[in-house]
Amino acid sequence: MPRAPKKPPAGMAGFSIVWAGQVLSLLGTAMSNFGLTIWAFKQTGRATDLALIGFFFMLPMLLTMPIIGVLVDRYNRKLMMMVSDLAAGVVTIVLLVLYLTGSLQIWHLFATSFISGIFQGFQWPAYSAAITLMLDKKHYTRASSMLQLAQSGSNIFAPLAAGALLDVIGLQGILLFDIITFVFAIGTLFFVHIPEPERTTEHRAGQSNRLPEAASGFRYIKERPSLLWLQSLFMVGNFFSSIGFTLLAPMILARTGSNEVIFGGVQTIGALGGVAGGLIIGAWGGFKRRINGVLIGWTLTMASMIVTGLGRPEPAWAGLPVWGTSTLVGAFCGTLINASNQAIWQTKVAPDVQGRVFSIRSLIAIGTVPLAQLAAGPLADRVFEPAMQPGGALASALGWLVGTGAGAGMSLIFILAGGLGLLTSLVGYALPTVRNVEDILPDHDALSGALALAEAGVD
């Protein structure tokens, strides 16, 4: 009697295989980003150029998110994940060819970032929806923390590896490694089973509405004010934190004379916080009330931004422990924030509409990021940096706080953005509609069960 074909891995086993592919792929991507950041800053020495690379990545992602969410809900989630990984690999191949031919310029990074941003929009809603389908809801926080662990782990080793290998294999070798890792990531997806969701009333309502199907994600969140206010907190918080994230590399490079070792050290120490967060939250499971993880995490993240601005490289290397520690705390809290928030949404939103809802959710949360990126560079290069040079408009009044000279103006921006972000997180505590989101909204599986009983005529 012929043996039945072996079923592909599913559940936590299948998720772990996909996760392993992402670990290696993220390492390659982080190494490429590190090498390209060093290359770009050495070409111009301006914060604005690094900010524009991030801007051109975020803008197309935001513009296409509503449509991408619908595609994720309509079509195979595994296919959407593969498309995202494949596009990232193609972009890296283009950069490698440009670099090898001596043609690579700053504007090429803007163009390839724009293309990457379009396809990166598929990855997050597709992976999020896939996790919901593959795992029991008690594992949602743990799975999200594992993904954060993969991201943070890559950020630990990438600066060390890229910094050590730049002089050995050059930027071309690092880009080639990135290409190899994306092939591995796509390969893991072939070996796992990702089930398709059952269709709920929310899905059918989205299809039958006269408005474009993409708009149903907006309506879904608008009809649930607790989710809307929760994501609005992310929108404001991400604006201030993105200013800091955009300026971290140019600030450190400016204050240390483009010291790659110190810059890489800060990134590595910070990434340790993300790894610690992933391990601890993965084992612990997070706060029972997940909203506490969101609000506490935001408060500590903004406080760490203020500390980052206070770090000074006087004498040399003195800024490393301050920048490293504050970045470590911020990364740890980022894992706590994202894992807790992800678990809330996965628990409250039906799986078959998560693609479109999560895309709009992300659109709300990061909609202000391009504005922060556009503002950060000019604020640094044209306003705060000149003002904090010796004899500048703010040097005598605030030089005692952040010092003067290259990078001091960006340090001051960190302190201001962190202070305003801290105020935002405290407002979140004061709003009952945010603080009590888990009590106000029912879980999607409980609601589906109640509807099924009602349709069957059971009280």
Side-chain angles (χ1 to χ4, degrees), residues 55 97 110 128 139 181 198 220 224 243 263-264 304 311 320 356 376 380 407 419 438 448:
F55 169 78
V97 172
F110 299 160
S128 298
H139 296 304
T181 61
E198 296 180 4
Y220 186 100
R224 294 158 178 81
I243 289 177
F263 174 48
S304 72
L320 178 59
R356 71 197 69 180
E438 294 172 272
S448 297

Side-chain angles (χ1 to χ4, degrees), residues 297-331:
W298 269 118
T299 301
L300 295 177
T301 296
M302 295 306 176
S304 72
M305 280 186 63
I306 297 174
V307 175
T308 300
L310 296 174
R312 298 196 209 179
E314 301 163 1
W317 294 84
L320 178 59
V322 177
W323 294 327
T325 301
S326 60
T327 307
L328 182 147
V329 172

Side-chain angles (χ1 to χ4, degrees), residues 227-239:
L227 293 180
L228 179 60
W229 278 101
L230 173 61
Q231 215 57 11
S232 298
L233 169 66
F234 277 78
M235 178 179 67
V236 179
N238 281 332
F239 176 80

Side-chain angles (χ1 to χ4, degrees), residues 31-365:
M31 288 177 63
S32 290
N33 289 341
F34 183 90
L36 290 168
T37 296
I38 298 296
W39 179 87
F41 192 76
K42 286 183 176 180
Q43 300 303 305
T44 67
R46 296 183 303 187
T48 299
D49 292 312
L50 297 184
L52 285 174
I53 293 173
F55 169 78
F56 282 112
F57 178 81
M58 292 298 302
L59 182 63
M61 188 188 303
L62 292 174
L63 294 177
T64 58
M65 269 183 178
I67 301 301
I68 286 173
V70 173
L71 294 176
V72 170
D73 283 339
R74 280 189 171 186
Y75 301 108
N76 187 283
R77 274 88 189 271
K78 182 190 290 189
L79 177 62
M80 297 294 102
M81 294 155 73
M82 288 180 174
V83 166
S84 175
D85 287 334
L86 179 61
V90 171
V91 165
T92 306
I93 292 172
V94 171
L95 289 173
L96 176 60
V97 172
L98 289 170
Y99 184 77
L100 289 175
T101 58
S103 305
L104 185 61
Q105 300 178 37
I106 291 293
W107 73 265
H108 290 136
L109 299 185
F110 299 160
T112 53
S113 292
F114 188 91
I115 296 170
S116 295
I118 294 174
F119 289 96
Q120 184 67 22
F122 285 94
Q123 189 174 55
W124 186 78
Y127 271 85
S128 298
I131 290 172
T132 305
L133 294 167
M134 295 175 75
L135 303 176
D136 187 271
K137 68 179 181 179
K138 67 182 179 181
H139 296 304
Y140 289 168
T141 303
R142 181 170 288 107
S144 296
S145 68
M146 287 176 65
L147 290 175
Q148 292 289 316
L149 175 62
Q151 180 71 61
S152 300
S154 67
N155 289 335
I156 288 178
F157 298 107
L160 297 175
L165 293 174
L166 272 173
D167 293 333
V168 180
I169 61 176
L171 182 58
Q172 65 270 25
I174 290 174
L175 293 174
L176 180 60
F177 177 76
D178 190 13
I179 294 168
I180 295 172
T181 61
F182 99 81
V183 173
F184 182 81
I186 292 177
T188 61
L189 292 172
F190 282 104
F191 295 100
V192 300
H193 172 65
I194 300 177
E196 290 299 302
E198 296 180 4
R199 300 308 180 188
T200 64
T201 54
E202 289 95 339
H203 181 90
R204 291 190 292 270
Q207 287 186 314
S208 61
N209 197 280
R210 292 181 181 179
L211 295 174
E213 190 173 347
S216 64
F218 281 106
R219 190 179 68 252
Y220 186 100
I221 296 175
K222 182 181 177 182
E223 292 173 351
R224 294 158 178 81
S226 290
L227 293 180
L228 179 60
W229 278 101
L230 173 61
Q231 215 57 11
S232 298
L233 169 66
F234 277 78
M235 178 179 67
V236 179
N238 281 332
F239 176 80
F240 295 118
S241 63
S242 293
I243 289 177
F245 181 80
T246 301
L247 295 179
L248 182 63
M251 182 198 75
I252 294 174
L253 292 172
R255 303 216 78 170
T256 62
S258 295
N259 190 308
E260 299 172 8
V261 178
I262 293 177
F263 174 48
V266 171
Q267 285 197 319
T268 297
I269 294 171
L272 286 171
V275 169
L279 292 173
I280 292 172
I281 297 168
W284 163 38
F287 288 97
K288 185 175 181 180
R289 286 187 61 82
R290 289 150 176 167
I291 191 62
N292 289 333
V294 174
L295 296 175
I296 292 172
W298 269 118
T299 301
L300 295 177
T301 296
M302 295 306 176
S304 72
M305 280 186 63
I306 297 174
V307 175
T308 300
L310 296 174
R312 298 196 209 179
E314 301 163 1
W317 294 84
L320 178 59
V322 177
W323 294 327
T325 301
S326 60
T327 307
L328 182 147
V329 172
F332 180 94
C333 292
T335 301
L336 177 62
I337 293 168
N338 292 328
S340 301
N341 190 50
Q342 179 77 340
I344 291 172
W345 285 78
Q346 287 176 315
T347 303
K348 304 300 178 182
V349 180
D352 61 330
V353 295
Q354 283 186 6
R356 71 197 69 180
V357 173
F358 281 20
S359 292
I360 302 304
R361 162 195 164 192
S362 187
L363 179 64
I364 296 170

